Amino acid sequence: MKKMEKKYIPLAQFFETCTQGTFTLTYEEIQNIMGHELPNAAYLNVSWWKKTKAPSTHFFAWINCDYYVTNVTLGHSVTFSCAEQDVVSDDKPQSTYITRPIEANDARAYINLQEELFAQSPFGYYTPQERNLTVQQVRKTIADWRKDKTSTILICIYNGQFAGYTMLLGNTASRTKHIANVRIAIHNDFQQKGLATVLLKEAEKWARTNGISRLEASVTITNTIAHHLFDKLNYSKEGTRTQAIKIDEQFVDEVLYSKIF
């Protein structure tokens, strides 16, 4: 693959997984995939999208996968077509997703996603509006985690939408730096697509790369879907935390899982 600016690499990964002949992405969806804002030229000039000459490199994200820009509605959407595929047109790509580390520009979308997940899930620790995170707080946390390399958030973008994430919470103490707690959440609109499995496997890759050899997870005893996920990926049950969480005025136990690499 020809070199391009780092911020366009997630977009290139997205096109690598596309199998559809023709589809349209909004500007917001493209920026969701990238984790970065598009430059002003992308809003002002159709030529920015259709150029294929140096010194620009952004177009390699789709050209290297044999996709070409066929239509641009400035500031709104871009239509891509693949010369190698039978031309089957649709408004959206089909079942195309990527996972990537969270970026500072994702802070607002991440907060919104969390609030929706808090409202949907009966198993989480927080209720809606309880955390009151700010964009500045999230951006600072991202910056701190990148320095420590013990914690991270991996975002899943499905057809240009924020679908879910996995969070790895590590330790800075030298004797426990090899351990991280893993949490996974998938939006209801993107359930039963295998994304939780994808995110957990990506979390394991990140852990290995960053010197973490033990992952831990706490799962409420009633969360059968999560139990199936951790069992499927060969996590071990280590015990039960009695009355670990209180949901609707009822105490609920948690099962402790772990995996050692």
Side-chain angles (χ1 to χ4, degrees):
M1 179 177 287
K2 296 176 182 176
K3 276 195 169 184
M4 71 192 82
E5 289 179 66
K6 185 177 179 181
K7 70 178 182 178
Y8 295 107
I9 291 176
L11 191 59
Q13 294 170 339
F14 176 87
F15 278 100
E16 285 173 3
T17 65
C18 287
T19 58
Q20 200 169 341
T22 298
F23 60 87
T24 299
L25 291 171
T26 66
Y27 275 48
E28 180 181 4
E29 288 166 345
I30 293 169
Q31 291 176 146
N32 286 347
I33 294 166
M34 292 171 52
H36 294 275
E37 294 182 358
L38 288 163
N40 288 336
Y43 285 83
L44 299 174
N45 304 306
V46 171
S47 61
W48 186 89
W49 292 99
K50 296 202 172 184
K51 67 171 62 175
T52 56
K53 294 181 180 179
S56 299
T57 60
H58 61 276
F59 55 85
F60 289 139
W62 51 87
I63 290 293
N64 282 341
C65 299
D66 295 315
Y67 278 89
Y68 299 86
V69 173
T70 55
N71 187 65
V72 180
T73 302
L74 283 175
H76 181 261
S77 62
V78 184
T79 300
F80 300 89
S81 293
C82 181
E84 301 263 329
Q85 301 286 341
D86 293 333
V87 179
V88 178
S89 181
D90 200 351
D91 288 338
K92 297 295 176 189
Q94 296 175 345
S95 303
T96 303
Y97 64 85
I98 65 164
T99 60
R100 60 168 176 78
I102 194 171
E103 300 285 352
N105 285 332
D106 295 321
R108 173 56 60 194
Y110 170 70
I111 292 171
N112 292 339
L113 175 63
Q114 270 210 332
E115 286 299 319
E116 291 181 16
L117 290 167
F118 292 157
Q120 293 173 358
S121 176
F123 306 115
Y125 291 165
Y126 294 98
T127 57
Q129 310 301 322
E130 188 173 358
R131 294 203 70 188
N132 293 319
L133 289 174
T134 67
V135 169
Q136 291 76 14
Q137 287 172 333
V138 172
R139 287 179 174 174
K140 184 180 184 306
T141 297
I142 293 169
D144 291 342
W145 284 357
R146 285 194 169 172
K147 290 177 186 176
D148 295 336
K149 295 183 179 180
T150 58
S151 302
T152 194
I153 296 170
L154 302 175
I155 298 286
C156 181
I157 309 294
Y158 189 95
N159 291 354
Q161 301 295 315
F162 281 76
Y165 67 88
T166 182
M167 179 185 296
L168 291 102
L169 295 174
N171 302 277
T172 56
S174 60
R175 293 181 177 179
T176 57
K177 212 169 184 179
H178 64 289
I179 301 172
N181 182 274
V182 61
R183 301 175 185 173
I184 295 177
I186 305 293
H187 194 282
N188 282 353
D189 291 348
F190 304 95
Q191 295 281 349
Q192 298 184 333
K193 298 181 184 295
L195 301 183
T197 300
V198 169
L199 280 168
L200 187 50
K201 288 181 177 179
E202 288 299 315
E204 292 177 5
K205 288 180 185 176
W206 187 91
R208 288 187 177 98
T209 301
N210 290 276
I212 293 170
S213 59
R214 175 183 167 92
L215 288 180
E216 300 176 342
S218 299
V219 179
T220 55
I221 201 164
T222 52
N223 190 348
T224 55
I225 294 175
H227 287 293
H228 175 72
L229 171 66
F230 287 105
D231 289 339
K232 181 174 69 172
L233 293 186
N234 300 315
Y235 281 70
S236 300
K237 293 179 182 177
E238 294 195 335
T240 301
R241 295 177 65 224
T242 304
Q243 296 189 5
I245 184 172
K246 194 175 185 180
I247 302 174
D248 297 330
E249 301 304 314
Q250 297 292 320
F251 287 110
V252 180
D253 297 347
E254 282 185 337
V255 177
L256 303 179
Y257 284 89
S258 71
K259 189 171 186 178
I260 297 175
F261 307 116

